[in-house]
Every structure is written in C-alpha cells, then in structure tokens.
Coordinates of all heavy atoms in Angstrom, one line a residue:
M1119 N 21.8 50.4 7.7 CA 20.9 51.5 7.0 C 19.7 51.6 8.0 O 19.1 50.6 8.5 CB 20.5 50.8 5.6 CG 19.5 51.7 5.0 SD 19.2 51.0 3.3 CE 18.4 52.2 2.6
D1120 N 19.1 52.8 7.9 CA 17.8 53.0 8.6 C 17.0 53.9 7.7 O 17.5 54.7 6.7 CB 18.0 53.6 10.0 CG 18.7 54.9 9.9 OD1 19.1 55.4 8.8 OD2 18.8 55.6 11.0
T1121 N 15.8 54.0 7.9 CA 14.8 54.7 7.2 C 13.5 54.9 8.1 O 13.2 54.1 8.8 CB 14.5 54.2 5.8 OG1 13.8 55.3 5.0 CG2 13.8 53.1 5.9
V1122 N 12.8 56.0 7.7 CA 11.4 56.2 8.4 C 10.4 55.3 7.5 O 10.5 55.4 6.3 CB 11.1 57.7 8.3 CG1 9.7 57.9 8.9 CG2 12.0 58.5 9.2
T1123 N 9.6 54.5 8.2 CA 8.8 53.6 7.5 C 7.6 53.2 8.2 O 7.2 53.8 9.2 CB 9.7 52.4 7.3 OG1 9.0 51.4 6.4 CG2 10.1 51.8 8.5
E1124 N 7.0 52.2 7.8 CA 5.7 51.6 8.5 C 6.2 50.2 8.7 O 7.1 49.7 8.4 CB 4.5 51.8 7.6 CG 3.9 53.2 7.5 CD 2.7 53.3 6.7 OE1 2.0 52.4 6.2 OE2 2.3 54.5 6.6
S1125 N 5.2 49.4 9.3 CA 5.5 48.1 9.8 C 6.1 47.2 8.8 O 6.9 46.4 9.0 CB 4.3 47.4 10.5 OG 3.2 47.3 9.6
N1126 N 5.5 47.0 7.5 CA 5.8 46.1 6.7 C 7.4 46.3 6.2 O 8.0 45.3 6.2 CB 4.9 46.1 5.4 CG 5.1 45.0 4.4 OD1 5.5 43.9 4.9 ND2 4.9 45.2 3.2
M1127 N 7.6 47.5 5.9 CA 9.0 47.8 5.5 C 9.9 47.7 6.7 O 11.2 47.2 6.5 CB 9.1 49.3 5.0 CG 10.6 49.7 4.5 SD 11.2 48.7 3.2 CE 10.5 49.7 2.0
A1128 N 9.5 48.0 8.0 CA 10.4 47.8 9.0 C 10.7 46.3 9.3 O 11.9 46.0 9.7 CB 9.7 48.4 10.3
I1129 N 9.7 45.4 9.0 CA 10.0 44.0 9.2 C 11.0 43.6 8.1 O 12.0 42.9 8.5 CB 8.7 43.2 9.1 CG1 7.9 43.5 10.4 CG2 8.9 41.6 8.9 CD1 6.3 42.9 10.2
H1130 N 10.8 43.8 7.0 CA 11.7 43.4 5.8 C 13.2 44.1 6.1 O 14.1 43.4 5.7 CB 11.1 43.7 4.5 CG 10.0 42.7 4.1 ND1 8.6 43.0 4.6 CD2 9.9 41.6 3.5 CE1 7.9 42.0 4.3 NE2 8.7 41.2 3.6
M1131 N 13.2 45.3 6.5 CA 14.6 45.8 6.7 C 15.3 45.1 7.8 O 16.5 44.8 7.7 CB 14.4 47.3 7.0 CG 14.0 48.2 5.9 SD 14.0 49.9 6.1 CE 15.6 50.2 6.6
A1132 N 14.5 44.8 8.9 CA 15.2 44.0 10.1 C 15.5 42.6 9.6 O 16.6 42.2 10.0 CB 14.1 43.9 11.2
L1133 N 14.8 41.9 8.6 CA 15.3 40.7 8.0 C 16.6 40.7 7.4 O 17.2 39.8 7.1 CB 14.3 40.1 7.1 CG 12.8 39.7 8.0 CD1 11.8 39.2 6.9 CD2 13.2 38.3 8.9
H1134 N 17.0 41.9 6.9 CA 18.2 42.2 6.1 C 19.2 42.9 7.0 O 20.1 43.4 6.4 CB 17.9 42.8 4.8 CG 17.1 42.1 3.9 ND1 17.6 41.1 3.1 CD2 15.7 42.1 3.5 CE1 16.7 40.5 2.4 NE2 15.7 41.2 2.6
G1135 N 19.0 42.9 8.3 CA 20.0 43.5 9.0 C 19.9 45.1 9.4 O 20.7 45.8 10.0
G1136 N 18.8 45.7 8.8 CA 18.6 47.2 9.0 C 17.6 47.4 10.1 O 17.2 46.5 10.9
I1137 N 17.3 48.7 10.3 CA 16.3 49.1 11.1 C 15.3 50.2 10.6 O 15.8 51.0 9.8 CB 17.1 49.8 12.4 CG1 16.0 50.2 13.4 CG2 17.9 50.9 12.0 CD1 16.7 50.5 14.8
G1138 N 14.1 49.9 10.8 CA 13.2 50.9 10.3 C 12.5 51.7 11.4 O 12.3 51.2 12.4
I1139 N 12.4 53.0 11.3 CA 11.9 53.9 12.3 C 10.6 54.1 11.9 O 10.2 54.8 10.8 CB 12.9 55.2 12.4 CG1 14.3 54.9 12.6 CG2 12.2 56.0 13.6 CD1 14.6 54.0 13.8
L1140 N 9.6 53.8 12.8 CA 8.1 54.1 12.5 C 7.9 55.6 12.6 O 8.3 56.3 13.6 CB 7.3 53.4 13.5 CG 7.4 51.8 13.4 CD1 6.6 51.1 14.4 CD2 7.0 51.3 12.0
H1141 N 7.3 56.3 11.6 CA 7.2 57.7 11.6 C 6.0 58.0 12.4 O 5.2 57.4 13.0 CB 7.0 58.2 10.1 CG 5.7 57.7 9.3 ND1 4.5 58.0 9.6 CD2 5.8 56.7 8.5 CE1 3.7 57.5 8.9 NE2 4.4 56.5 8.1
S1142 N 5.9 59.3 12.8 CA 4.9 59.9 13.7 C 3.8 60.6 13.0 O 3.1 61.4 13.7 CB 5.7 60.8 14.7 OG 6.2 61.8 14.2
N1143 N 3.7 60.6 11.8 CA 2.7 61.2 11.0 C 1.5 60.4 11.0 O 0.6 60.4 9.9 CB 3.2 61.4 9.5 CG 4.4 62.3 9.5 OD1 4.6 63.2 10.5 ND2 5.2 62.3 8.3
M1144 N 1.0 59.9 12.1 CA -0.3 59.1 12.2 C -0.7 59.3 13.7 O 0.1 59.6 14.5 CB -0.1 57.8 11.6 CG 1.0 56.9 12.6 SD 1.2 55.1 12.0 CE 2.1 55.2 10.5
P1145 N -2.0 58.9 14.0 CA -2.5 59.1 15.3 C -1.6 58.1 16.2 O -1.3 57.0 15.8 CB -3.9 58.7 15.2 CG -4.3 58.9 13.7 CD -3.0 58.6 13.1
P1146 N -1.6 58.3 17.6 CA -1.1 57.5 18.4 C -1.6 55.9 18.5 O -0.8 55.0 18.5 CB -1.2 58.0 19.8 CG -1.5 59.4 19.5 CD -2.2 59.4 18.1
E1147 N -2.8 55.8 18.1 CA -3.3 54.5 18.0 C -2.7 53.7 16.9 O -2.4 52.5 17.0 CB -4.9 54.5 18.1 CG -5.5 55.2 19.2 CD -5.7 56.6 19.0 OE1 -5.4 57.3 18.0 OE2 -5.9 57.3 20.2
S1148 N -2.6 54.3 15.7 CA -2.1 53.8 14.7 C -0.6 53.5 14.8 O 0.0 52.4 14.3 CB -2.2 54.7 13.3 OG -3.6 54.8 13.2
Q1149 N 0.1 54.4 15.5 CA 1.6 54.1 15.7 C 1.7 52.8 16.7 O 2.5 52.0 16.5 CB 2.1 55.3 16.4 CG 2.3 56.5 15.7 CD 2.9 57.6 16.4 OE1 3.7 57.5 17.3 NE2 2.5 58.8 16.1
A1150 N 0.8 52.7 17.7 CA 0.8 51.6 18.6 C 0.5 50.4 17.7 O 1.1 49.2 18.0 CB -0.2 51.7 19.7
D1151 N -0.4 50.3 16.8 CA -0.7 49.3 15.9 C 0.5 48.8 15.1 O 0.8 47.6 14.9 CB -1.9 49.5 15.1 CG -3.2 49.5 15.7 OD1 -3.4 49.0 16.8 OD2 -4.3 50.2 15.3
Q1152 N 1.1 49.7 14.6 CA 2.3 49.5 13.7 C 3.4 48.8 14.5 O 4.1 47.8 14.2 CB 3.0 50.8 13.1 CG 2.0 51.4 12.2 CD 1.9 50.7 10.8 OE1 2.9 50.3 10.2 NE2 0.8 50.3 10.4
V1153 N 3.7 49.3 15.8 CA 4.7 48.6 16.7 C 4.3 47.3 17.1 O 5.1 46.3 17.0 CB 4.9 49.5 18.0 CG1 5.7 48.8 19.0 CG2 5.5 51.0 17.6
R1154 N 3.0 47.0 17.4 CA 2.5 45.7 17.7 C 2.7 44.8 16.5 O 3.1 43.7 16.7 CB 0.9 45.8 18.0 CG 0.5 44.7 18.7 CD -1.0 44.8 19.2 NE -1.1 45.9 20.2 CZ -1.6 47.1 19.9 NH1 -2.1 47.5 18.7 NH2 -1.6 48.1 20.8
I1155 N 2.4 45.2 15.3 CA 2.7 44.3 14.2 C 4.1 43.9 14.1 O 4.5 42.8 13.7 CB 2.2 45.1 12.8 CG1 0.6 45.1 13.0 CG2 2.7 44.2 11.8 CD1 0.2 46.1 11.8
V1156 N 5.0 44.9 14.1 CA 6.4 44.6 14.1 C 6.8 43.7 15.2 O 7.7 42.7 14.9 CB 7.3 45.8 14.1 CG1 8.8 45.6 14.1 CG2 7.0 46.7 12.9
K1157 N 6.6 44.0 16.5 CA 7.0 43.1 17.6 C 6.4 41.8 17.6 O 7.0 40.8 18.0 CB 6.6 43.8 18.9 CG 7.4 45.1 19.2 CD 7.1 45.6 20.5 CE 7.6 45.0 21.6 NZ 8.8 45.3 22.1
K1158 N 5.3 41.5 16.9 CA 4.5 40.2 16.9 C 5.1 39.3 15.8 O 5.0 38.2 15.8 CB 3.1 40.5 16.7 CG 2.2 39.3 17.0 CD 0.8 39.7 16.9 CE -0.1 38.5 17.3 NZ -1.5 38.8 17.1
F1159 N 5.9 39.9 14.8 CA 6.4 39.2 13.8 C 7.4 38.2 14.1 O 8.3 38.4 14.9 CB 7.0 40.2 12.6 CG 7.5 39.3 11.4 CD1 6.7 39.1 10.5 CD2 8.9 39.1 11.4 CE1 7.2 38.4 9.3 CE2 9.4 38.5 10.3 CZ 8.5 38.0 9.3
K1160 N 7.3 37.0 13.7 CA 8.2 35.9 14.0 C 8.4 35.2 12.6 O 7.5 34.7 11.9 CB 7.6 34.8 14.9 CG 7.5 35.4 16.3 CD 7.1 34.2 17.2 CE 6.8 34.6 18.6 NZ 7.6 35.5 19.2
N1161 N 9.7 35.4 12.1 CA 9.9 34.8 10.7 C 9.7 33.3 10.6 O 10.1 32.5 11.4 CB 11.4 35.1 10.4 CG 11.8 34.9 9.1 OD1 10.9 35.0 8.1 ND2 13.1 34.6 8.7
G1162 N 8.8 33.1 9.7 CA 8.5 31.7 9.4 C 7.2 31.1 10.1 O 6.7 30.0 10.0
F1163 N 6.8 32.0 11.0 CA 5.5 31.6 11.8 C 4.3 32.4 11.4 O 4.4 33.7 11.2 CB 5.8 31.7 13.4 CG 6.7 30.8 13.8 CD1 8.2 31.0 13.8 CD2 6.4 29.6 14.3 CE1 9.2 30.3 14.4 CE2 7.4 28.6 14.9 CZ 8.8 29.0 14.9
I1164 N 3.2 31.7 11.3 CA 2.0 32.4 11.2 C 1.5 32.8 12.6 O 0.9 31.8 13.3 CB 0.9 31.6 10.3 CG1 1.5 31.3 9.0 CG2 -0.4 32.4 10.2 CD1 0.8 30.2 8.2
T1165 N 1.5 33.9 12.9 CA 1.1 34.3 14.3 C -0.4 34.7 14.5 O -0.8 34.7 15.6 CB 2.0 35.5 14.9 OG1 1.7 36.6 13.9 CG2 3.5 35.2 14.9
D1166 N -1.0 35.0 13.4 CA -2.4 35.3 13.5 C -3.2 34.5 12.4 O -3.5 35.1 11.3 CB -2.5 36.8 13.2 CG -3.3 37.5 14.3 OD1 -3.8 36.8 15.3 OD2 -3.4 38.7 14.2
P1167 N -3.3 33.2 12.5 CA -3.8 32.4 11.5 C -5.3 32.7 11.1 O -6.1 33.0 12.0 CB -3.7 30.9 12.0 CG -3.6 31.0 13.5 CD -3.0 32.5 13.8
L1168 N -5.6 32.5 9.9 CA -7.0 32.7 9.6 C -7.5 31.3 9.7 O -7.1 30.2 9.2 CB -7.1 33.2 8.3 CG -6.6 34.5 8.0 CD1 -6.7 34.9 6.4 CD2 -7.5 35.6 8.6
C1169 N -8.8 31.2 10.2 CA -9.5 30.0 10.3 C -10.7 29.9 9.3 O -11.3 31.0 9.1 CB -10.0 29.7 11.7 SG -8.6 29.3 12.8
L1170 N -11.1 28.9 8.8 CA -12.4 28.7 8.1 C -13.2 27.6 8.7 O -12.8 26.8 9.5 CB -12.0 28.3 6.6 CG -11.3 29.3 5.8 CD1 -10.9 28.8 4.4 CD2 -11.8 30.6 5.7
S1171 N -14.5 27.7 8.4 CA -15.5 26.8 8.9 C -15.7 25.7 7.8 O -15.4 25.9 6.7 CB -16.7 27.4 9.4 OG -17.5 27.8 8.2
P1172 N -16.4 24.6 8.1 CA -16.8 23.6 7.2 C -17.7 24.2 6.0 O -17.8 23.5 4.9 CB -17.5 22.5 7.9 CG -17.0 22.7 9.3 CD -16.7 24.1 9.4
T1173 N -18.3 25.3 6.1 CA -19.1 25.9 5.2 C -18.4 26.7 4.1 O -19.0 27.0 3.0 CB -20.2 26.9 5.7 OG1 -19.5 27.9 6.4 CG2 -21.1 26.1 6.7
H1174 N -17.1 26.9 4.3 CA -16.3 27.6 3.2 C -15.9 26.6 2.2 O -16.0 25.5 2.4 CB -15.0 28.1 3.9 CG -15.3 29.4 4.8 ND1 -15.5 29.2 6.1 CD2 -15.4 30.7 4.5 CE1 -15.7 30.4 6.6 NE2 -15.7 31.4 5.6
N1175 N -15.4 27.1 1.0 CA -15.1 26.3 -0.1 C -13.8 26.4 -0.5 O -13.0 27.3 0.0 CB -16.1 26.5 -1.4 CG -16.1 28.0 -1.6 OD1 -15.0 28.6 -1.8 ND2 -17.2 28.5 -2.0
V1176 N -13.2 25.9 -1.5 CA -11.9 25.8 -2.0 C -11.5 27.2 -2.5 O -10.4 27.6 -2.4 CB -11.7 24.7 -3.0 CG1 -10.2 24.9 -3.7 CG2 -11.8 23.4 -2.5
G1177 N -12.5 27.9 -3.0 CA -12.1 29.2 -3.5 C -11.7 30.2 -2.3 O -10.9 31.0 -2.7
D1178 N -12.4 30.0 -1.2 CA -12.0 30.8 -0.1 C -10.5 30.5 0.3 O -9.8 31.4 0.6 CB -12.9 30.4 1.0 CG -14.3 30.9 0.9 OD1 -14.5 31.9 0.2 OD2 -15.2 30.2 1.3
V1179 N -10.1 29.3 0.3 CA -8.7 28.9 0.5 C -7.8 29.6 -0.5 O -6.7 30.1 -0.2 CB -8.5 27.3 0.6 CG1 -7.1 26.9 0.6 CG2 -9.4 26.8 1.7
L1180 N -8.2 29.4 -1.7 CA -7.3 30.0 -2.8 C -7.1 31.7 -2.6 O -6.2 32.1 -2.9 CB -7.8 29.7 -4.1 CG -7.8 28.2 -4.5 CD1 -8.4 28.0 -5.9 CD2 -6.3 27.7 -4.5
R1181 N -8.3 32.2 -2.2 CA -8.2 33.6 -2.0 C -7.3 33.9 -0.8 O -6.4 35.0 -1.1 CB -9.5 34.2 -1.7 CG -10.1 35.1 -2.7 CD -11.5 35.7 -2.3 NE -12.5 34.8 -1.7 CZ -13.2 33.9 -2.3 NH1 -13.2 33.8 -3.7 NH2 -14.1 33.2 -1.7
I1182 N -7.3 33.2 0.3 CA -6.3 33.4 1.2 C -4.9 33.1 0.9 O -4.0 33.8 1.2 CB -6.8 32.5 2.5 CG1 -8.1 33.1 3.1 CG2 -5.7 32.5 3.5 CD1 -8.6 32.1 4.2
K1183 N -4.8 32.1 0.1 CA -3.3 31.8 -0.3 C -2.8 32.8 -1.1 O -1.7 33.2 -0.9 CB -3.5 30.4 -1.1 CG -2.1 30.0 -1.7 CD -2.1 28.6 -2.3 CE -0.7 28.3 -2.7 NZ -0.7 27.1 -3.6
N1184 N -3.7 33.5 -2.1 CA -3.1 34.6 -2.9 C -2.9 35.8 -2.2 O -2.0 36.7 -2.4 CB -4.1 34.7 -4.1 CG -4.2 33.6 -5.1 OD1 -3.2 32.9 -5.3 ND2 -5.2 33.4 -5.7
T1185 N -3.8 36.1 -1.2 CA -3.7 37.3 -0.4 C -2.6 37.1 0.6 O -1.8 38.2 0.7 CB -5.0 37.6 0.3 OG1 -6.2 37.7 -0.6 CG2 -4.9 38.9 1.1
F1186 N -2.4 36.2 1.3 CA -1.6 36.1 2.4 C -0.3 35.2 2.2 O 0.7 35.4 3.0 CB -2.2 35.5 3.8 CG -3.3 36.6 4.2 CD1 -4.6 36.3 3.9 CD2 -3.0 37.8 4.9 CE1 -5.6 37.2 4.3 CE2 -4.0 38.6 5.3 CZ -5.3 38.3 5.0
G1187 N -0.4 34.4 1.2 CA 0.9 33.6 0.8 C 1.0 32.2 1.5 O 2.0 31.7 1.5
Y1188 N -0.1 31.9 2.3 CA 0.1 30.6 3.0 C -1.2 29.8 2.6 O -2.3 30.3 2.5 CB 0.4 30.7 4.4 CG -0.5 31.6 5.2 CD1 -1.6 30.9 5.8 CD2 -0.2 32.7 5.6 CE1 -2.7 31.7 6.6 CE2 -1.1 33.6 6.3 CZ -2.2 33.0 6.8 OH -3.0 33.7 7.6
S1189 N -1.1 28.4 2.7 CA -2.3 27.6 2.4 C -2.6 26.6 3.5 O -3.5 25.8 3.4 CB -2.1 26.9 1.0 OG -0.9 26.1 1.2
G1190 N -1.8 26.7 4.6 CA -2.1 25.9 5.8 C -3.1 26.5 6.6 O -2.9 27.3 7.6
I1191 N -4.5 26.3 6.3 CA -5.5 26.9 7.0 C -6.4 26.0 7.8 O -6.9 24.9 7.3 CB -6.5 27.6 5.9 CG1 -5.6 28.6 5.1 CG2 -7.5 28.3 6.6 CD1 -6.2 28.9 3.9
P1192 N -6.4 26.2 9.1 CA -7.2 25.4 10.0 C -8.7 25.5 9.6 O -9.2 26.6 9.6 CB -6.9 25.8 11.4 CG -5.9 26.9 11.3 CD -5.8 27.2 10.0
I1193 N -9.3 24.3 9.7 CA -10.8 24.4 9.5 C -11.4 23.9 10.9 O -11.2 22.8 11.4 CB -11.3 23.2 8.5 CG1 -10.6 23.4 7.2 CG2 -12.8 23.2 8.3 CD1 -10.8 24.8 6.4
T1194 N -12.2 24.9 11.5 CA -12.7 24.5 12.8 C -14.2 24.6 12.7 O -14.8 25.2 11.8 CB -12.3 25.5 13.9 OG1 -12.7 26.9 13.6 CG2 -10.7 25.5 14.0
E1195 N -14.9 24.0 13.7 CA -16.3 23.9 13.8 C -17.0 25.3 13.5 O -17.9 25.4 12.9 CB -16.8 23.3 15.1 CG -17.7 22.3 15.0 CD -18.1 21.6 16.3 OE1 -17.9 22.2 17.3 OE2 -18.4 20.4 16.2
N1196 N -16.4 26.4 14.2 CA -17.1 27.7 14.2 C -16.3 28.7 13.4 O -16.6 29.8 13.3 CB -17.3 28.2 15.5 CG -16.0 28.4 16.4 OD1 -14.9 28.0 15.8 ND2 -16.0 28.7 17.7
G1197 N -15.2 28.2 12.6 CA -14.4 29.1 11.8 C -13.5 30.0 12.7 O -13.1 31.0 12.2
K1198 N -13.2 29.8 13.9 CA -12.5 30.8 14.7 C -11.4 29.9 15.4 O -11.6 28.6 15.7 CB -13.4 31.3 15.8 CG -14.5 32.2 15.2 CD -15.4 32.8 16.2 CE -16.4 33.7 15.7 NZ -17.4 34.3 16.6
M1199 N -10.3 30.5 15.9 CA -9.2 29.9 16.6 C -9.8 29.3 18.0 O -10.7 30.1 18.6 CB -8.1 31.0 16.9 CG -7.2 31.1 15.8 SD -6.4 29.6 15.3 CE -5.4 29.3 16.6
G1200 N -9.3 28.2 18.4 CA -9.9 27.7 19.7 C -11.2 26.8 19.5 O -11.6 26.1 20.4
G1201 N -11.7 26.8 18.2 CA -12.8 25.9 17.9 C -12.3 24.4 17.7 O -11.1 24.2 17.5
K1202 N -13.3 23.6 17.8 CA -13.0 22.2 17.5 C -12.5 22.0 16.1 O -13.2 22.3 15.1 CB -14.2 21.3 17.8 CG -13.9 19.8 17.7 CD -15.3 19.2 18.2 CE -15.0 17.6 18.1 NZ -16.3 16.9 18.4
L1203 N -11.3 21.2 15.9 CA -10.8 21.0 14.5 C -11.6 19.9 13.8 O -12.2 19.1 14.3 CB -9.5 20.5 14.5 CG -8.4 21.6 14.9 CD1 -7.0 20.9 15.1 CD2 -8.2 22.6 13.9

C-alpha cells in the first residue's frame, strides 16, 4: 500500500510494510525536513534525546513523558547533549 503523506504517517506505514510518498504541497525546505525526519528514524531508538539540567523538576520529566512517550531523560550540567552527566 502507498499514499501521499507527511513524515509521521510515512514512518508508521513503513513499520507495517507500506510506503509513504511525501507530498509536494509545501516549500522545499519543509520537504527536506520531512525527508530528514523519516531517514533519521530508527525503531526503538531515541535519535534526538531531550536533556534536562539539574534545575528542572519532576513536572518537566512528566511533561516530556506525556508528550514524547519516553522517560529516560539525561540530566546534564548545562541541560544539553554533550554536557557532563
């Protein structure tokens, strides 16, 4: 099965053996972003983790968990990837 779609649907269709064709009804920069999202997806891996700093609280973790569906959040000194854990 195939259909014209955006990145989220293209990823989910691919996980079920289908193919999603990204539509061209958007600026080229947006199309490139959609392709980047699909190509970067790795099932079961968090490829763009969110980091928090020690100043964040449990409410911030719960918000991330509810929004993105994962709760393994690195806490770094500066709240950014590459910072001291």
Side-chain angles (χ1 to χ4, degrees):
M1119 178 178 186
D1120 67 351
T1121 188
V1122 176
T1123 184
E1124 291 183 1
S1125 61
N1126 192 32
M1127 179 65 85
I1129 289 168
H1130 285 86
M1131 289 182 66
L1133 290 173
H1134 292 283
I1137 183 171
I1139 308 301
L1140 298 173
H1141 62 78
S1142 61
N1143 296 337
M1144 59 179 78
E1147 298 82 21
S1148 297
Q1149 289 179 32
D1151 288 339
Q1152 294 288 307
V1153 169
R1154 195 171 297 109
I1155 290 168
V1156 173
K1157 290 183 72 90
K1158 198 172 181 184
F1159 181 81
K1160 292 190 186 321
N1161 193 22
F1163 290 91
I1164 301 169
T1165 57
D1166 237 354
L1168 295 173
C1169 293
L1170 297 178
S1171 70
T1173 59
H1174 287 93
N1175 58 41
V1176 174
D1178 297 322
V1179 173
L1180 294 175
R1181 247 186 315 284
I1182 290 171
K1183 183 177 181 181
N1184 291 333
T1185 304
F1186 297 100
Y1188 57 84
S1189 59
I1191 301 163
I1193 307 295
T1194 61
E1195 225 173 34
N1196 60 2
K1198 298 178 183 173
M1199 281 300 296
K1202 186 176 179 182
L1203 288 175

